Amino acid sequence: MAIIADALTFLAEPWFAIPWYVVGVFGAAWVVYDAQHANAALNPPLKVCWPILVFFFSLIGLALYLVTSRPADIGAVEGR
């Protein structure tokens, strides 16, 4: 267990944590905008949950949102 703890010490370093959460803030803001405008069919609980997940998981959360909750043909839908 100590080997894993030593390998993950970079997660607490400012050079990693600050950009991680900055990307998370911008990603969460984009998810809020996208859920309200382009992806309006998203369930209301998920509209609250996804920005929180994207904030904490940053790029990984944003990738998960794009893969799981955003339809691939969302740009082809007219009238929104």
Coordinates of all heavy atoms in Angstrom, one line a residue:
M1 N 0.8 -1.2 0.0 CA 0.0 0.0 0.0 C 0.9 1.3 0.0 O 0.5 2.3 -0.5 CB -0.9 -0.1 1.2 CG -2.1 0.7 1.1 SD -3.1 0.2 -0.3 CE -4.6 0.9 0.0
A2 N 2.0 1.2 0.6 CA 2.9 2.3 0.7 C 3.5 2.7 -0.7 O 3.7 3.8 -1.0 CB 4.1 2.1 1.6
I3 N 3.6 1.7 -1.5 CA 4.1 1.9 -2.9 C 3.1 2.7 -3.7 O 3.5 3.7 -4.4 CB 4.4 0.6 -3.6 CG1 5.5 -0.2 -2.9 CG2 4.7 0.8 -5.1 CD1 5.7 -1.6 -3.4
I4 N 1.8 2.4 -3.6 CA 0.8 3.2 -4.2 C 0.7 4.6 -3.7 O 0.6 5.6 -4.4 CB -0.6 2.5 -4.1 CG1 -0.5 1.1 -4.8 CG2 -1.7 3.3 -4.7 CD1 -1.8 0.3 -4.6
A5 N 0.8 4.7 -2.4 CA 0.8 6.1 -1.8 C 1.9 6.9 -2.2 O 1.8 8.1 -2.5 CB 0.8 6.0 -0.3
D6 N 3.1 6.3 -2.4 CA 4.3 7.1 -2.8 C 4.1 7.4 -4.3 O 4.6 8.5 -4.7 CB 5.5 6.2 -2.6 CG 5.9 6.1 -1.1 OD1 5.4 7.0 -0.3 OD2 6.6 5.2 -0.8
A7 N 3.5 6.6 -5.1 CA 3.3 6.8 -6.5 C 2.3 7.9 -6.8 O 2.4 8.6 -7.9 CB 3.0 5.5 -7.2
L8 N 1.4 8.1 -5.9 CA 0.3 9.1 -6.1 C 0.5 10.4 -5.4 O -0.4 11.2 -5.3 CB -1.0 8.5 -5.7 CG -1.4 7.3 -6.5 CD1 -2.7 6.7 -6.0 CD2 -1.5 7.6 -8.0
T9 N 1.7 10.7 -4.9 CA 1.9 12.0 -4.2 C 1.8 13.2 -5.0 O 1.5 14.3 -4.5 CB 3.3 12.0 -3.5 OG1 4.3 11.8 -4.5 CG2 3.4 10.9 -2.4
F10 N 2.0 13.0 -6.4 CA 1.8 14.2 -7.2 C 0.4 14.7 -7.2 O 0.2 15.9 -7.6 CB 2.2 13.8 -8.7 CG 1.2 12.9 -9.4 CD1 0.2 13.5 -10.2 CD2 1.3 11.5 -9.2 CE1 -0.7 12.6 -10.8 CE2 0.4 10.7 -9.9 CZ -0.6 11.3 -10.7
L11 N -0.6 14.0 -6.8 CA -2.0 14.4 -6.8 C -2.2 15.6 -5.8 O -3.1 16.4 -6.0 CB -2.9 13.3 -6.4 CG -3.0 12.2 -7.5 CD1 -3.9 11.0 -6.9 CD2 -3.6 12.7 -8.8
A12 N -1.3 15.7 -4.8 CA -1.4 16.8 -3.8 C -0.6 18.0 -4.1 O -0.6 19.0 -3.4 CB -1.1 16.2 -2.4
E13 N 0.2 17.9 -5.2 CA 1.1 19.0 -5.5 C 0.3 20.1 -6.2 O -0.6 19.8 -7.0 CB 2.2 18.5 -6.5 CG 3.1 17.5 -5.8 CD 4.0 18.1 -4.7 OE1 4.4 19.3 -4.8 OE2 4.3 17.3 -3.8
P14 N 0.7 21.4 -5.9 CA 0.0 22.5 -6.6 C 0.1 22.5 -8.1 O -0.9 22.9 -8.7 CB 0.6 23.7 -5.9 CG 1.3 23.2 -4.7 CD 1.6 21.8 -4.9
W15 N 1.2 22.1 -8.7 CA 1.3 22.1 -10.1 C 0.3 21.2 -10.8 O 0.0 21.3 -12.0 CB 2.7 21.8 -10.5 CG 3.2 20.4 -10.1 CD1 3.9 20.1 -9.0 CD2 3.0 19.2 -10.8 NE1 4.1 18.7 -9.0 CE2 3.6 18.1 -10.1 CE3 2.3 18.8 -12.0 CZ2 3.5 16.8 -10.5 CZ3 2.3 17.5 -12.4 CH2 2.9 16.5 -11.6
F16 N -0.2 20.2 -10.1 CA -1.2 19.3 -10.6 C -2.6 19.7 -10.2 O -3.6 19.7 -11.0 CB -1.0 17.8 -10.2 CG -2.0 16.9 -10.7 CD1 -1.9 16.4 -12.0 CD2 -3.0 16.5 -9.9 CE1 -2.8 15.5 -12.5 CE2 -4.0 15.6 -10.4 CZ -3.9 15.1 -11.7
A17 N -2.8 20.0 -8.9 CA -4.2 20.2 -8.4 C -4.8 21.5 -8.9 O -6.0 21.5 -9.2 CB -4.1 20.3 -6.9
I18 N -4.0 22.6 -9.0 CA -4.6 23.9 -9.5 C -5.1 23.8 -10.9 O -6.3 24.1 -11.2 CB -3.6 25.0 -9.2 CG1 -3.4 25.2 -7.7 CG2 -4.1 26.3 -9.9 CD1 -2.3 26.2 -7.4
P19 N -4.3 23.3 -11.9 CA -4.8 23.2 -13.2 C -6.0 22.2 -13.3 O -6.9 22.3 -14.1 CB -3.7 22.7 -14.1 CG -2.5 23.1 -13.3 CD -2.9 23.1 -11.8
W20 N -5.9 21.1 -12.5 CA -7.0 20.1 -12.5 C -8.3 20.7 -12.2 O -9.3 20.5 -12.9 CB -6.6 19.0 -11.5 CG -7.6 17.9 -11.5 CD1 -8.6 17.7 -10.6 CD2 -7.7 16.8 -12.3 NE1 -9.3 16.6 -10.8 CE2 -8.7 15.9 -11.9 CE3 -6.9 16.3 -13.4 CZ2 -9.1 14.8 -12.5 CZ3 -7.3 15.2 -14.1 CH2 -8.3 14.4 -13.6
Y21 N -8.4 21.5 -11.1 CA -9.6 22.1 -10.7 C -10.0 23.3 -11.6 O -11.2 23.6 -11.7 CB -9.6 22.5 -9.2 CG -9.7 21.2 -8.4 CD1 -8.6 20.8 -7.6 CD2 -10.9 20.5 -8.4 CE1 -8.7 19.6 -6.9 CE2 -11.0 19.4 -7.6 CZ -9.9 18.9 -6.9 OH -10.0 17.8 -6.1
V22 N -9.1 24.0 -12.2 CA -9.4 25.1 -13.1 C -10.1 24.5 -14.3 O -11.1 25.0 -14.8 CB -8.1 25.9 -13.5 CG1 -8.4 26.8 -14.7 CG2 -7.6 26.7 -12.3
V23 N -9.6 23.4 -14.9 CA -10.2 22.7 -16.0 C -11.6 22.2 -15.5 O -12.6 22.3 -16.3 CB -9.3 21.6 -16.5 CG1 -10.1 20.7 -17.5 CG2 -8.1 22.2 -17.2
G24 N -11.7 21.7 -14.3 CA -12.9 21.3 -13.7 C -14.0 22.3 -13.7 O -15.2 22.1 -14.0
V25 N -13.6 23.6 -13.3 CA -14.5 24.7 -13.2 C -15.1 25.0 -14.6 O -16.3 25.2 -14.8 CB -13.9 25.9 -12.5 CG1 -14.7 27.2 -12.7 CG2 -13.7 25.6 -11.0
F26 N -14.2 25.2 -15.5 CA -14.6 25.5 -16.9 C -15.4 24.4 -17.5 O -16.4 24.6 -18.2 CB -13.4 25.9 -17.8 CG -12.8 27.2 -17.5 CD1 -11.5 27.3 -17.0 CD2 -13.6 28.3 -17.6 CE1 -11.0 28.5 -16.7 CE2 -13.0 29.6 -17.3 CZ -11.7 29.7 -16.9
G27 N -15.0 23.1 -17.3 CA -15.8 22.0 -17.8 C -17.2 21.9 -17.2 O -18.2 21.7 -17.8
A28 N -17.3 22.2 -15.8 CA -18.6 22.2 -15.2 C -19.5 23.3 -15.7 O -20.7 23.1 -15.9 CB -18.4 22.3 -13.7
A29 N -18.9 24.5 -16.0 CA -19.7 25.6 -16.5 C -20.2 25.2 -17.9 O -21.3 25.5 -18.3 CB -18.8 26.8 -16.6
W30 N -19.4 24.6 -18.7 CA -19.8 24.2 -20.0 C -20.9 23.1 -20.0 O -21.9 23.1 -20.8 CB -18.6 23.6 -20.9 CG -19.1 23.2 -22.2 CD1 -19.3 24.0 -23.3 CD2 -19.4 21.9 -22.7 NE1 -19.7 23.3 -24.4 CE2 -19.8 22.0 -24.0 CE3 -19.4 20.7 -22.0 CZ2 -20.2 20.9 -24.7 CZ3 -19.8 19.6 -22.7 CH2 -20.2 19.7 -24.1
V31 N -20.8 22.2 -19.0 CA -21.8 21.2 -18.9 C -23.2 21.8 -18.5 O -24.2 21.4 -18.9 CB -21.4 20.1 -17.9 CG1 -22.5 19.2 -17.5 CG2 -20.3 19.2 -18.5
V32 N -23.1 22.8 -17.6 CA -24.4 23.5 -17.2 C -25.0 24.1 -18.4 O -26.2 24.0 -18.6 CB -24.1 24.5 -16.1 CG1 -25.2 25.5 -15.9 CG2 -23.7 23.8 -14.8
Y33 N -24.2 24.8 -19.2 CA -24.7 25.5 -20.4 C -25.2 24.5 -21.4 O -26.3 24.6 -21.9 CB -23.6 26.3 -21.0 CG -24.0 26.9 -22.4 CD1 -24.8 28.0 -22.4 CD2 -23.6 26.3 -23.6 CE1 -25.2 28.6 -23.6 CE2 -24.0 26.8 -24.8 CZ -24.8 28.0 -24.8 OH -25.2 28.5 -26.0
D34 N -24.5 23.4 -21.6 CA -24.9 22.4 -22.6 C -26.2 21.7 -22.1 O -27.1 21.4 -22.9 CB -23.8 21.4 -22.7 CG -24.1 20.3 -23.8 OD1 -24.2 20.8 -25.0 OD2 -24.2 19.1 -23.5
A35 N -26.3 21.4 -20.8 CA -27.5 20.7 -20.3 C -28.7 21.6 -20.4 O -29.8 21.1 -20.6 CB -27.3 20.3 -18.9
Q36 N -28.6 22.9 -20.3 CA -29.7 23.8 -20.4 C -30.1 24.1 -21.8 O -31.3 24.4 -22.1 CB -29.4 25.1 -19.7 CG -29.2 25.0 -18.2 CD -30.4 24.4 -17.5 OE1 -31.5 24.7 -17.8 NE2 -30.2 23.5 -16.5
H37 N -29.2 24.1 -22.7 CA -29.4 24.6 -24.1 C -29.5 23.5 -25.1 O -30.5 23.3 -25.8 CB -28.5 25.7 -24.5 CG -28.6 26.9 -23.7 ND1 -29.6 27.8 -23.8 CD2 -27.8 27.4 -22.7 CE1 -29.4 28.8 -22.9 NE2 -28.3 28.5 -22.2
A38 N -28.4 22.8 -25.3 CA -28.3 21.8 -26.4 C -28.8 20.4 -25.9 O -29.5 19.7 -26.7 CB -26.8 21.6 -26.8
N39 N -28.6 20.0 -24.7 CA -29.0 18.7 -24.2 C -30.1 18.8 -23.2 O -30.1 18.3 -22.1 CB -27.8 18.0 -23.6 CG -27.9 16.5 -23.5 OD1 -28.9 16.0 -23.9 ND2 -27.0 15.9 -22.9
A40 N -31.2 19.5 -23.7 CA -32.3 19.7 -22.8 C -33.1 18.5 -22.4 O -33.8 18.5 -21.4 CB -33.3 20.7 -23.4
A41 N -32.9 17.4 -23.1 CA -33.6 16.1 -22.8 C -33.0 15.4 -21.6 O -33.5 14.4 -21.1 CB -33.6 15.2 -24.0
L42 N -31.9 15.9 -21.1 CA -31.2 15.3 -19.9 C -32.1 15.4 -18.7 O -32.8 16.4 -18.5 CB -29.9 16.0 -19.7 CG -28.9 15.4 -18.7 CD1 -28.4 14.0 -19.3 CD2 -27.7 16.3 -18.5
N43 N -32.2 14.3 -17.9 CA -33.0 14.3 -16.7 C -32.6 15.4 -15.7 O -31.4 15.6 -15.6 CB -32.9 12.9 -16.0 CG -33.5 11.8 -16.8 OD1 -34.4 12.1 -17.7 ND2 -33.1 10.6 -16.6
P44 N -33.6 16.0 -15.0 CA -33.2 17.1 -14.1 C -32.2 16.7 -13.0 O -31.3 17.5 -12.7 CB -34.6 17.4 -13.4 CG -35.6 17.1 -14.5 CD -35.0 15.9 -15.2
P45 N -32.3 15.5 -12.4 CA -31.2 15.1 -11.4 C -29.8 15.0 -12.1 O -28.8 15.4 -11.4 CB -31.6 13.7 -10.9 CG -33.1 13.7 -11.2 CD -33.3 14.4 -12.4
L46 N -29.8 14.6 -13.3 CA -28.5 14.5 -14.0 C -27.9 15.9 -14.3 O -26.7 16.1 -14.4 CB -28.6 13.7 -15.2 CG -28.7 12.2 -15.0 CD1 -28.9 11.4 -16.3 CD2 -27.6 11.6 -14.2
K47 N -28.8 16.9 -14.5 CA -28.4 18.3 -14.8 C -27.7 18.8 -13.6 O -26.9 19.8 -13.7 CB -29.6 19.1 -15.2 CG -30.1 18.9 -16.6 CD -31.2 19.8 -16.9 CE -31.8 19.5 -18.3 NZ -32.8 20.4 -18.7
V48 N -28.0 18.3 -12.4 CA -27.3 18.8 -11.2 C -26.1 17.9 -10.9 O -25.0 18.4 -10.5 CB -28.3 18.7 -10.0 CG1 -27.6 19.0 -8.7 CG2 -29.5 19.6 -10.2
C49 N -26.2 16.7 -11.2 CA -25.1 15.7 -10.9 C -23.9 15.9 -11.8 O -22.7 15.9 -11.3 CB -25.6 14.3 -11.0 SG -24.4 13.0 -10.7
W50 N -24.1 16.1 -13.1 CA -22.9 16.1 -14.0 C -22.0 17.3 -13.7 O -20.8 17.0 -13.8 CB -23.4 16.1 -15.4 CG -23.6 14.7 -16.0 CD1 -24.8 14.2 -16.3 CD2 -22.6 13.7 -16.1 NE1 -24.6 12.9 -16.7 CE2 -23.3 12.6 -16.6 CE3 -21.3 13.6 -15.9 CZ2 -22.6 11.4 -16.9 CZ3 -20.6 12.5 -16.1 CH2 -21.3 11.4 -16.6
P51 N -22.4 18.5 -13.5 CA -21.4 19.5 -13.2 C -20.6 19.2 -12.0 O -19.4 19.6 -11.9 CB -22.3 20.8 -13.0 CG -23.5 20.5 -13.8 CD -23.8 19.0 -13.6
I52 N -21.2 18.6 -11.0 CA -20.4 18.3 -9.8 C -19.4 17.2 -10.1 O -18.2 17.4 -9.7 CB -21.4 17.8 -8.6 CG1 -22.3 18.9 -8.2 CG2 -20.6 17.3 -7.5 CD1 -23.4 18.5 -7.3
L53 N -19.8 16.2 -10.8 CA -18.8 15.2 -11.2 C -17.7 15.8 -12.1 O -16.5 15.4 -11.9 CB -19.5 14.1 -12.0 CG -20.4 13.2 -11.1 CD1 -21.2 12.2 -12.0 CD2 -19.5 12.4 -10.2
V54 N -18.1 16.6 -13.0 CA -17.0 17.2 -13.9 C -16.1 18.1 -13.1 O -14.9 18.1 -13.4 CB -17.7 18.0 -15.1 CG1 -16.7 18.8 -15.9 CG2 -18.4 17.0 -16.0
F55 N -16.6 18.8 -12.1 CA -15.7 19.7 -11.3 C -14.7 18.8 -10.6 O -13.5 19.1 -10.7 CB -16.5 20.4 -10.3 CG -15.6 21.2 -9.3 CD1 -14.9 22.3 -9.7 CD2 -15.5 20.8 -8.0 CE1 -14.1 23.0 -8.9 CE2 -14.7 21.4 -7.1 CZ -14.0 22.6 -7.6
F56 N -15.1 17.7 -10.0 CA -14.1 16.9 -9.2 C -13.3 16.0 -10.1 O -12.1 15.8 -9.8 CB -14.8 16.1 -8.2 CG -15.3 16.9 -7.0 CD1 -16.6 17.2 -6.8 CD2 -14.3 17.5 -6.1 CE1 -17.0 18.0 -5.7 CE2 -14.7 18.3 -5.1 CZ -16.0 18.5 -4.9
F57 N -13.8 15.5 -11.2 CA -13.1 14.6 -12.0 C -12.5 15.2 -13.3 O -11.8 14.5 -14.1 CB -13.9 13.4 -12.4 CG -14.2 12.4 -11.3 CD1 -15.4 12.5 -10.6 CD2 -13.3 11.5 -10.9 CE1 -15.7 11.7 -9.5 CE2 -13.5 10.7 -9.8 CZ -14.7 10.8 -9.1
S58 N -12.7 16.5 -13.5 CA -12.1 17.3 -14.5 C -12.2 16.7 -15.9 O -13.3 16.5 -16.4 CB -10.6 17.6 -14.1 OG -10.1 18.6 -14.9
L59 N -11.1 16.4 -16.5 CA -11.1 15.9 -17.9 C -11.7 14.5 -18.0 O -12.4 14.2 -19.0 CB -9.7 15.8 -18.5 CG -9.0 17.1 -18.7 CD1 -7.5 16.9 -19.0 CD2 -9.7 17.9 -19.7
I60 N -11.5 13.7 -17.0 CA -12.2 12.3 -17.0 C -13.7 12.5 -16.9 O -14.4 11.8 -17.6 CB -11.6 11.5 -15.8 CG1 -10.1 11.3 -16.0 CG2 -12.3 10.2 -15.7 CD1 -9.4 10.8 -14.8
G61 N -14.2 13.3 -16.0 CA -15.6 13.6 -15.9 C -16.2 14.1 -17.2 O -17.3 13.8 -17.6
L62 N -15.5 15.1 -17.8 CA -16.0 15.7 -19.0 C -16.1 14.6 -20.1 O -17.0 14.5 -20.9 CB -15.1 16.8 -19.5 CG -15.6 17.7 -20.6 CD1 -16.9 18.3 -20.2 CD2 -14.6 18.8 -20.8
A63 N -15.1 13.7 -20.2 CA -15.1 12.7 -21.2 C -16.3 11.7 -20.9 O -17.0 11.3 -21.9 CB -13.8 11.9 -21.2
L64 N -16.5 11.4 -19.7 CA -17.6 10.5 -19.3 C -19.0 11.2 -19.7 O -19.9 10.5 -20.2 CB -17.6 10.2 -17.8 CG -16.5 9.2 -17.4 CD1 -16.5 9.1 -15.9 CD2 -16.8 7.8 -18.0
Y65 N -19.1 12.5 -19.4 CA -20.3 13.2 -19.8 C -20.6 13.1 -21.3 O -21.6 12.8 -21.8 CB -20.3 14.6 -19.4 CG -21.4 15.4 -19.9 CD1 -22.7 15.3 -19.4 CD2 -21.2 16.3 -21.0 CE1 -23.7 16.1 -19.9 CE2 -22.3 17.1 -21.5 CZ -23.5 17.0 -20.9 OH -24.6 17.7 -21.5
L66 N -19.5 13.3 -22.1 CA -19.6 13.3 -23.5 C -20.0 12.0 -24.1 O -20.8 11.8 -25.0 CB -18.4 13.9 -24.2 CG -18.1 15.3 -24.0 CD1 -16.7 15.7 -24.5 CD2 -19.2 16.2 -24.6
V67 N -19.4 10.9 -23.5 CA -19.7 9.6 -24.0 C -21.0 9.0 -23.5 O -21.7 8.3 -24.3 CB -18.5 8.6 -23.5 CG1 -18.8 7.2 -23.8 CG2 -17.2 9.0 -24.2
T68 N -21.4 9.3 -22.3 CA -22.6 8.6 -21.7 C -23.9 9.4 -21.8 O -25.0 8.9 -21.9 CB -22.4 8.2 -20.3 OG1 -22.1 9.4 -19.5 CG2 -21.2 7.3 -20.2
S69 N -23.8 10.8 -21.7 CA -25.0 11.5 -21.6 C -25.3 12.5 -22.7 O -26.3 13.2 -22.7 CB -25.0 12.4 -20.3 OG -25.1 11.5 -19.2
R70 N -24.5 12.5 -23.7 CA -24.7 13.5 -24.8 C -24.8 12.6 -26.0 O -23.9 11.9 -26.5 CB -23.5 14.4 -24.9 CG -23.8 15.6 -25.8 CD -22.9 16.7 -25.4 NE -23.4 17.9 -25.9 CZ -23.1 18.4 -27.2 NH1 -22.3 17.7 -27.9 NH2 -23.6 19.6 -27.5
P71 N -26.0 12.7 -26.7 CA -26.2 11.9 -27.9 C -25.3 12.3 -29.0 O -24.9 13.5 -29.1 CB -27.7 12.2 -28.3 CG -28.3 12.8 -27.1 CD -27.2 13.4 -26.3
A72 N -24.9 11.4 -29.8 CA -23.9 11.7 -30.9 C -24.5 12.6 -32.0 O -23.8 13.4 -32.6 CB -23.4 10.4 -31.5
D73 N -25.8 12.5 -32.2 CA -26.4 13.3 -33.3 C -27.1 14.5 -32.7 O -28.0 15.0 -33.3 CB -27.4 12.4 -34.0 CG -28.5 11.9 -33.1 OD1 -28.4 12.0 -31.9 OD2 -29.5 11.4 -33.7
I74 N -26.7 15.1 -31.6 CA -27.3 16.2 -31.0 C -27.2 17.5 -31.9 O -28.1 18.3 -31.8 CB -26.8 16.5 -29.6 CG1 -27.8 17.3 -28.8 CG2 -25.5 17.1 -29.6 CD1 -27.6 17.3 -27.3
G75 N -26.2 17.6 -32.7 CA -26.1 18.8 -33.5 C -27.1 18.7 -34.7 O -27.3 19.8 -35.3
A76 N -27.6 17.6 -35.0 CA -28.5 17.5 -36.2 C -30.0 17.8 -35.8 O -30.8 18.0 -36.7 CB -28.5 16.0 -36.7
V77 N -30.2 17.9 -34.5 CA -31.6 18.2 -34.1 C -31.9 19.7 -34.3 O -31.1 20.6 -33.9 CB -31.8 17.9 -32.6 CG1 -33.1 18.3 -32.1 CG2 -31.5 16.4 -32.3
E78 N -33.0 20.0 -35.0 CA -33.3 21.4 -35.3 C -34.4 21.9 -34.3 O -35.1 21.1 -33.8 CB -33.8 21.5 -36.7 CG -32.7 21.3 -37.7 CD -33.1 21.5 -39.1 OE1 -34.1 22.2 -39.3 OE2 -32.5 20.9 -40.0
G79 N -34.5 23.1 -34.2 CA -35.6 23.7 -33.4 C -35.2 23.9 -31.9 O -36.1 24.2 -31.1
R80 N -34.0 23.9 -31.6 CA -33.6 24.1 -30.2 C -32.7 25.3 -30.1 O -31.9 25.6 -30.9 CB -32.8 22.9 -29.6 CG -33.8 21.8 -29.4 CD -33.1 20.7 -28.6 NE -34.0 19.6 -28.4 CZ -33.8 18.6 -27.8 NH1 -32.6 18.5 -27.1 NH2 -34.6 17.6 -27.7

